[in-house]
Amino acid sequence: MSRVFALIDCNNFYVSCERVFDPRLRDVPVVVLSNNDGCVIARSAEAKEMGIPMAAPFFEFRRLAQHKKVKVFSSNYALYGDMSARVMRTLAEFTPRLEIYSIDEAFLDLSGNGRRDLIAYGREIAATVRRATGIPVSVGLGPTKVLAKIANRIAKRNPETGGVLDFTALGPHREAHLAQIDVKDVWGIGRRWSERLRQLGISTALDLREADPHQIRRRLSVVGERIVRELRGTSCLALEDAPPKKQQIMTSRTFGERVTDHRSMREAMGTFTARTAEKLREQRSRARALTVFITTSPFNEREPRYSNSATRALPGATRDSGELIAAAIDALDEIWKPGYRYMKAGVMLLDLVPESHDQGALFAAPQPRSRGRSSSLMDVLDRLNRDLGRGTVRYATEGLRKAWRMKQEHRSPAYTTRWDQLPVVRG
């Protein structure tokens, strides 16, 4: 049976999320900024035409944005995450074989659709997502995941396709399109591998398709060989129905204001640890160690610099926020030095084990709470914060004032996840 994969990619996803709830943003230049309103991480087509580059520092084009009336937004990940979940739920209506690749991309396995017109089916998918969520998407179809990715790229850059393209329908034009794609832009290759390939005289997707798979395997491992065979139309990369669990989970932030006192740093570390523990429970794991770090700015030569980290092995694998926060604060107290202006801090959970596989420790010291009570408490904590808004119930260590919080001067409301920020419609 021939395979058919579809890659669904949301167009300018962050910008599109903002436009869903504010129609005045349509057809005007819009940019979204990174944490602390630092750099551009998303641009509308109008902003791209104005020459605003990706990853540009905001201060470099602030005057241009004011002069040209560019709409500027701080990143609003609560909104983007919820909109992404809605898009993925809509896509799941078309097939149970779905791989969520990123916040704005998903692969669908459409094999077994018989003689169905794939272009028409792709347009039906795009129209359904647009109708259900307001998010525009591009659809690339192909016999392999790599070719579906390439088809999506071509569809997005050629408006005459209507945003939907079947790679196999390109006929004799397939080679011409592959010859226009830089090898570094082939899914799975990247910059480091592309440099090695250029030394072999391989600079385009077409060159890579025509290369000897065994030679590529010697240079780039078996993964490189699979990419070559995928470019030739042989499916080698399976659909991952469930993403692999992370081996490490980290939360770190650059502060909106430099942190100079111990109390504020303890609040920040408590907040980061609580958030990291939430992520740990979301993937149903426990942690057996954690590392915390603090650092001053490495770029400010006028101020003294200091960076340090500390690791704590936990008495037993845990998912309890309270236990993790206590260990993080203990590690922070070890490395804290007064007299510095700290720019960034973070916490990383290590040595993760699945909840179902944890065997505990025979000689471990008694835990402050039984495992059953701890799990019940964490489940209630997560449910309250999920239903009523993040931070509704929190540990006292996390504090209230949070002067160190990131700058987000242009953030839109959390339209879909907070009752008090629901959009209001007036008749």
Side-chain angles (χ1 to χ4, degrees):
M1 181 180 69
S2 59
R3 307 296 301 271
V4 178
F5 292 95
L7 175 68
I8 317 299
D9 188 6
C10 300
N11 300 341
N12 300 322
F13 180 57
Y14 294 172
V15 171
S16 295
C17 289
E18 302 291 350
R19 283 176 164 168
V20 167
F21 297 94
D22 189 348
R24 293 171 299 180
L25 299 175
R26 291 175 187 168
D27 303 322
V28 302
V30 180
V31 298
V32 178
L33 306 179
S34 62
N35 290 340
N36 275 317
D37 295 344
C39 301
V40 175
I41 59 171
R43 305 162 294 164
S44 68
E46 297 80 6
K48 293 176 185 175
E49 291 175 1
M50 291 173 56
I52 297 176
M54 196 68 168
F58 180 45
F59 71 87
E60 288 186 357
F61 73 92
R62 187 189 297 270
R63 286 189 176 180
L64 173 66
Q66 292 172 344
H67 178 65
K68 297 289 186 180
K69 298 182 178 179
V70 177
K71 301 298 182 183
V72 180
F73 290 87
S74 306
S75 49
N76 185 345
Y77 292 112
L79 175 65
Y80 308 153
D82 187 68
M83 293 301 293
S84 172
R86 296 177 186 216
V87 170
M88 301 307 166
R89 281 198 298 272
T90 304
L91 293 177
E93 296 174 5
F94 289 90
T95 174
R97 299 185 296 277
L98 168 74
E99 175 187 338
I100 299 174
Y101 180 64
S102 66
I103 192 170
D104 60 349
E105 288 180 282
F107 284 102
L108 275 62
D109 186 345
L110 302 179
S111 304
N113 278 274
R115 296 182 179 178
R116 182 190 287 268
D117 183 337
L118 288 175
I119 295 290
Y121 197 46
R123 287 180 177 151
E124 181 183 342
I125 293 173
T128 304
V129 172
R130 185 68 178 265
R131 186 168 57 249
T133 68
I135 301 294
V137 301
S138 299
V139 181
L141 299 138
T144 70
K145 292 171 74 176
V146 170
L147 290 177
K149 188 89 173 174
I150 287 176
N152 192 293
R153 176 191 176 91
I154 298 171
K156 193 165 286 188
R157 285 164 172 73
N158 295 275
E160 65 273 16
T161 65
V164 180
L165 186 134
D166 178 8
F167 187 82
T168 59
L170 285 174
H173 301 293
R174 280 178 287 193
E175 281 70 22
H177 281 287
L178 291 176
Q180 294 175 4
I181 298 175
D182 193 298
V183 70
K184 70 176 172 53
D185 295 326
V186 175
W187 186 50
I189 294 298
R191 183 180 58 81
R192 187 168 56 86
W193 277 11
S194 67
E195 291 172 357
R196 292 190 202 175
L197 290 171
R198 288 185 205 287
Q199 294 171 359
L200 301 174
I202 298 170
S203 58
T204 70
L206 181 61
D207 295 338
L208 184 59
R209 193 192 73 170
E210 301 303 318
D212 179 356
H214 301 293
Q215 181 188 26
I216 299 300
R217 180 173 186 152
R218 287 194 295 273
R219 298 285 184 144
L220 305 182
S221 80
V222 68
V223 177
E225 180 187 352
R226 287 173 180 162
I227 293 172
V228 173
R229 297 194 184 282
E230 286 252 326
L231 284 169
R232 295 180 176 187
T234 303
S235 178
C236 302
L237 303 176
L239 204 70
E240 296 180 1
D241 296 329
K245 291 186 177 181
K246 297 177 181 176
Q247 300 302 308
Q248 301 172 343
I249 301 177
M250 184 170 79
T251 300
S252 65
R253 295 286 186 274
T254 299
F255 300 125
E257 297 179 4
R258 296 291 190 263
V259 171
T260 57
D261 65 286
H262 191 207
R263 179 178 177 181
S264 295
M265 185 62 84
R266 285 170 64 97
E267 286 185 0
M269 197 61 73
T271 301
F272 298 163
T273 307
R275 176 60 188 134
T276 314
E278 285 180 14
K279 298 177 187 175
L280 180 75
R281 293 191 290 273
E282 285 172 2
Q283 75 162 26
R284 300 185 179 280
S285 297
R286 296 176 186 269
R288 293 192 287 210
L290 65 77
T291 294
V292 303
F293 70 88
I294 53 177
T295 183
T296 57
S297 172
F299 307 110
N300 192 339
E301 298 180 351
R302 292 173 298 178
E303 295 182 357
R305 300 179 188 176
Y306 174 70
S307 297
N308 207 345
S309 65
T311 298
R312 290 289 181 272
L314 301 164
T318 183
R319 65 198 283 273
D320 188 300
S321 292
E323 295 174 28
L324 293 168
I325 290 173
I329 298 301
D330 181 60
L332 169 66
D333 291 347
E334 177 188 320
I335 60 176
W336 171 261
K337 276 191 175 182
Y340 292 93
R341 287 164 47 82
Y342 292 97
M343 180 195 75
K344 187 175 184 178
V347 59
M348 179 185 295
L349 301 183
L350 310 165
D351 198 7
L352 308 187
V353 294
E355 287 183 8
S356 56
H357 295 176
D358 178 38
Q359 297 179 342
L362 180 61
F363 300 107
Q367 300 296 306
R369 275 189 292 271
S370 71
R371 179 154 297 188
R373 287 187 60 199
S374 168
S375 292
S376 299
L377 178 61
M378 292 303 108
D379 291 343
V380 171
L381 181 74
D382 290 341
R383 187 166 63 250
L384 288 172
N385 286 332
R386 185 173 55 249
D387 294 346
L388 303 178
R390 180 171 294 162
T392 300
V393 181
R394 57 191 162 196
Y395 284 79
T397 311
E398 299 178 56
L400 297 171
R401 195 169 61 90
K402 300 188 178 184
W404 44 268
R405 192 188 292 274
M406 291 187 300
K407 289 180 182 175
Q408 292 184 311
E409 297 175 347
H410 311 279
R411 194 177 68 177
S412 55
Y415 295 108
T416 61
T417 54
R418 291 185 65 99
W419 287 108
D420 60 335
Q421 295 182 21
L422 283 175
V424 177
V425 178
R426 294 184 174 85

